[in-house]
Amino acid sequence: MIDLQLTDKKHDEERQGEALIVDAPLVRNGRKLYIESYGCQMNFADSEIVASILLDQGFETTGDYKEADVVFINTCSIRENAEQRVRNRLSQFGVEKRRNPKLIVGVLGCMAERLKSKFLEEEKLVDVVVGPDAYRELPQLLSEVESGHKAINVLLSREETYADISPVRLNGNGITAFISIMRGCDNMCSFCVVPFTRGRERSRDPHSIMAEAQDLFDRGYKEVTLLGQNVDSYKWKGSDADDSAEIEVNFAQLLEKVALISPELRIRFSTSHPKDITDEVLYTIAKYDNICNYIHLPVQSGSSRVLELMNRTYTREWYINRIDAIRNIIPDCAISSDIIAGFCTETEEEHQETLSIMDYVKYDFAFTFSYSERPGTLAARKFEDDVPEDVKKRRLSEILIKQQETSLYRLQQFVGKTVRILVEGTSKKSDKDFCGRNDQNAMVVFPATAGVSAGQYVYVHIDRCTSATLLGTVVVEEPEIV
Ligand code: SAH
Ligand code: SF4
Ligand code: F3S
């Protein structure tokens, strides 16, 4: 039987409640920081910047908020339930604060940006509110709090990319890491709060991106994921590293530069936008073996009318054309999606169009959500959130069932074949098993094998699969040079 989740499927972009711990700083100030992150990978990457800034101030990190002097919660506003989770967590921190009045509680990230000073009014226990572009100010803001004031900085910036701050890698596996290549978003999808919480789009200097990737590789990392809300609109203009000639770098060129660091370093990226993904990007992926054949290309809806209301600026036909281009240029490319059920005025026929585009693409994976109205967005101002909750749930469940079928179909295509995977470590379910992902981002689990360890590329013969995982056995160890 299919285990049906009627609520929103847990999104990678909604990992939650993870505390971050790192090595102690060189010079200690005797104080401990606890930082917990919610939301998308970009938020998790930002927490690593925050930790880096506070480590420079002598803070140590702790995995137990009860022994912390400063507790930060890096928040997400994407859907109402994401915000609710943060509020629940804050009330737990409130209990601790009553026990230890000296504890400083800070709210960072997208909710801080959305609610601004309202946060200080609504949640009395909060001492400091800091938006995503103001993390450099954290030391000063903490001093203000120590001198008895509440502190806030939610200024958005057109330039800040934290390019010069080397993030400390928190709770990582030492094998895979995220690199932010841009910040903000200039699209105005009508349902989305991100342009309001993250500000204008800006691209990070490619030299600092390359340096970060090279440094990770030198430290034994084998996979980097380049992050941005819309990576295809990455564009950087500036002077070259060696001479001062003006250069322009687009996303395809950036991908190529990072791929050339080493064939042993795998490259992934997220998120691609259907209106912006170019054939040049597709040819670059096809050209380099170490750029993974996997594209996250959120469709949101299969109906052109709904897409227009969503202000996605593409039609169903345009999206299908992009899928055809991917299939032609990178025949074995995995494709995943984000899908919203029950957007304002969505009819039953339009919902069927979403199901039929899913049939057409046969996504390897999809993150699925019911529409959640976000205050201040275009949709909240212009359209009525008129699809009843039970209808949204039913449509979402139909989308989920379809996705489970196609995920299974896609994974079945690997059964009987041998795939190359990067070993990430022991499997979550059993320490007798190892896990890792193949090029197409499918999770592969196999019995721990002598001579195989995390960070190696190995070949695994796929014996069987579930709708989420491939199961197999190691057949050939990685040759010296791949
Ligand atoms: N930049 C990415 C998406 C970032 S948000 C892109 O453009 O694809 C991740 C996903 O959350 C979105 O793709 C969308 O499917 C979902 N989402 C965003 N706002 C939402 C809302 N108000 N209600 C439900 N889902 C939403
Ligand atoms: Fe939101 Fe659209 Fe920007 Fe994605 S592209 S972050 S959905 S506004
Ligand atoms: Fe959430 Fe902000 Fe990311 S709203 S999804 S944490 S950009």
Side-chain angles (χ1 to χ4, degrees):
M1 228 192 76
I2 297 173
D3 176 22
L4 237 199
Q5 261 180 294
L6 291 181
T7 51
D8 289 6
K9 189 171 160 69
K10 187 174 171 247
H11 198 312
D12 231 11
E13 303 206 338
E14 241 183 60
R15 284 160 57 193
Q16 48 174 299
E18 283 178 37
L20 305 169
I21 315 164
V22 284
D23 293 342
L26 290 176
V27 182
R28 299 175 195 217
N29 67 8
R31 304 175 69 209
K32 287 190 174 149
L33 164 72
Y34 174 87
I35 176 163
E36 195 173 280
S37 313
Y38 293 75
C40 64
Q41 291 158 342
M42 303 218 51
N43 241 21
F44 282 72
D46 278 3
S47 290
E48 299 184 335
I49 305 263
V50 168
S52 171
I53 292 169
L54 290 201
L55 244 69
D56 277 352
Q57 302 288 309
F59 277 87
E60 272 179 82
T61 51
T62 168
D64 178 5
Y65 71 88
K66 294 191 174 144
E67 61 165 44
D69 301 284
V70 175
V71 167
F72 282 155
I73 180 161
N74 197 355
T75 60
C76 174
S77 286
I78 200 82
R79 284 168 290 275
E80 198 182 344
N81 54 13
E83 290 203 351
Q84 197 47 51
R85 268 196 288 273
V86 167
R87 295 212 189 253
N88 295 345
R89 192 62 173 144
L90 273 174
S91 58
Q92 283 169 323
F93 295 152
V95 174
E96 190 54 26
K97 179 137 179 159
R98 279 192 285 281
R99 202 186 61 79
N100 167 18
K102 277 195 173 157
L103 176 70
I104 295 177
V105 177
V107 177
L108 316 179
C110 291
M111 250 177 115
E113 192 62 53
R114 192 177 84 72
L115 292 161
K116 305 188 169 54
S117 58
K118 259 200 248 161
F119 229 119
L120 295 173
E121 293 151 27
E122 285 172 21
E123 305 274 353
K124 295 287 179 244
L125 80 137
V126 174
D127 302 296
V128 53
V129 172
V130 192
D133 286 346
Y135 297 143
R136 283 182 204 269
E137 300 302 315
L138 276 168
Q140 290 84 314
L141 293 164
L142 285 179
S143 312
E144 274 180 52
V145 174
E146 273 148 22
S147 57
H149 308 285
K150 300 258 176 188
I152 178 163
N153 188 334
V154 287
L155 287 177
L156 287 172
S157 157
R158 276 174 180 261
E159 286 96 36
E160 182 63 272
T161 58
Y162 300 109
D164 57 315
I165 298 181
S166 145
V168 286
R169 301 295 160 179
L170 301 161
N171 295 9
N173 54 11
I175 311 293
T176 59
F178 296 113
I179 301 182
S180 284
I181 61 163
M182 56 206 296
R183 298 180 72 82
C185 183
D186 278 355
N187 295 319
M188 271 286 173
C189 301
S190 63
F191 52 79
C192 184
V193 78
V194 172
F196 304 95
T197 62
R198 292 266 164 177
R200 297 304 297 269
E201 180 185 288
R202 65 223 97 123
S203 296
R204 179 178 167 190
D205 175 348
H207 309 304
S208 73
I209 297 170
M210 302 275 294
E212 194 173 326
Q214 181 71 57
D215 174 60
L216 285 163
F217 184 64
D218 293 345
R219 289 194 285 131
Y221 282 79
K222 292 286 176 61
E223 184 181 296
V224 294
T225 304
L226 308 181
L227 292 181
Q229 294 297 354
N230 179 4
V231 288
D232 301 292
S233 65
Y234 177 88
K235 189 151 236 37
W236 191 82
K237 225 179 178 172
S239 64
D240 200 345
D242 308 322
D243 48 59
S244 54
E246 278 270 301
I247 53 161
E248 233 182 81
V249 180
N250 67 16
F251 182 58
Q253 291 157 335
L254 180 72
L255 264 182
E256 177 158 57
K257 282 174 185 287
V258 183
L260 286 169
I261 288 177
S262 166
E264 284 275 294
L265 182 68
R266 261 185 179 180
I267 324 296
R268 298 189 187 279
F269 53 91
S270 187
T271 299
S272 302
H273 196 298
K275 82 173 156 60
D276 293 319
I277 191 165
T278 59
D279 287 354
E280 189 191 359
V281 165
L282 302 181
Y283 283 115
T284 308
I285 300 170
K287 182 170 167 196
Y288 292 95
D289 278 348
N290 58 331
I291 305 180
C292 290
N293 290 351
Y294 168 59
I295 299 176
H296 183 55
L297 195 70
V299 67
Q300 314 295 1
S301 164
S303 147
S304 293
R305 189 192 74 90
V306 174
L307 286 169
E308 194 178 342
L309 292 186
M310 287 177 164
N311 202 24
R312 289 290 285 181
T313 68
Y314 54 85
T315 58
R316 177 185 173 95
E317 291 67 36
W318 173 279
Y319 186 88
I320 287 178
N321 166 286
R322 293 289 74 208
I323 295 293
D324 293 347
I326 296 172
R327 301 269 183 242
N328 285 333
I329 299 168
I330 320 163
D332 61 346
C333 192
I335 303 175
S336 62
S337 196
D338 291 346
I339 299 171
I340 298 178
F343 185 66
C344 313
T345 75
E346 183 190 69
T347 64
E348 213 47 47
E349 292 71 39
E350 288 162 343
H351 165 61
Q352 290 300 327
E353 288 190 83
T354 296
L355 295 174
S356 74
I357 208 163
M358 293 176 75
D359 277 333
Y360 184 83
V361 184
K362 292 202 170 50
Y363 291 112
D364 292 74
F365 190 79
F367 298 106
T368 56
F369 314 99
S370 341
Y371 173 59
S372 161
E373 184 176 271
R374 307 313 293 130
T377 55
L378 236 74
R381 283 182 276 138
K382 279 171 60 181
F383 314 125
E384 200 187 331
D385 180 11
D386 59 355
V387 177
E389 218 41 51
D390 57 329
V391 175
K392 282 186 191 170
K393 273 195 174 161
R394 197 247 312 140
R395 290 182 188 169
L396 181 64
S397 74
E398 288 171 9
I399 290 170
L400 270 169
I401 291 176
K402 169 100 33 214
Q403 188 48 50
Q404 265 164 341
E405 287 165 9
T406 54
S407 291
L408 182 63
Y409 165 80
R410 286 288 175 205
L411 290 182
Q412 278 167 343
Q413 309 309 305
F414 292 110
V415 175
K417 298 195 174 127
T418 296
V419 300
R420 183 172 178 266
I421 71 148
L422 172 62
V423 184
E424 289 180 17
T426 49
S427 136
K428 267 191 206 146
K429 287 194 181 143
S430 152
D431 57 10
K432 292 195 180 69
D433 289 331
F434 277 146
C435 68
R437 288 174 188 277
N438 71 357
D439 200 339
Q440 287 84 356
N441 208 34
M443 182 53 89
V444 180
V445 174
F446 57 97
T449 311
V452 173
S453 56
Q456 270 183 305
Y457 291 100
V458 294
Y459 291 92
V460 176
H461 181 267
I462 305 303
D463 305 315
R464 58 198 175 90
C465 71
T466 69
S467 68
T469 316
L470 296 173
L471 302 150
T473 358
V474 171
V475 286
V476 189
E477 269 187 48
E478 174 201 20
E480 270 299 289
I481 296 166
V482 181

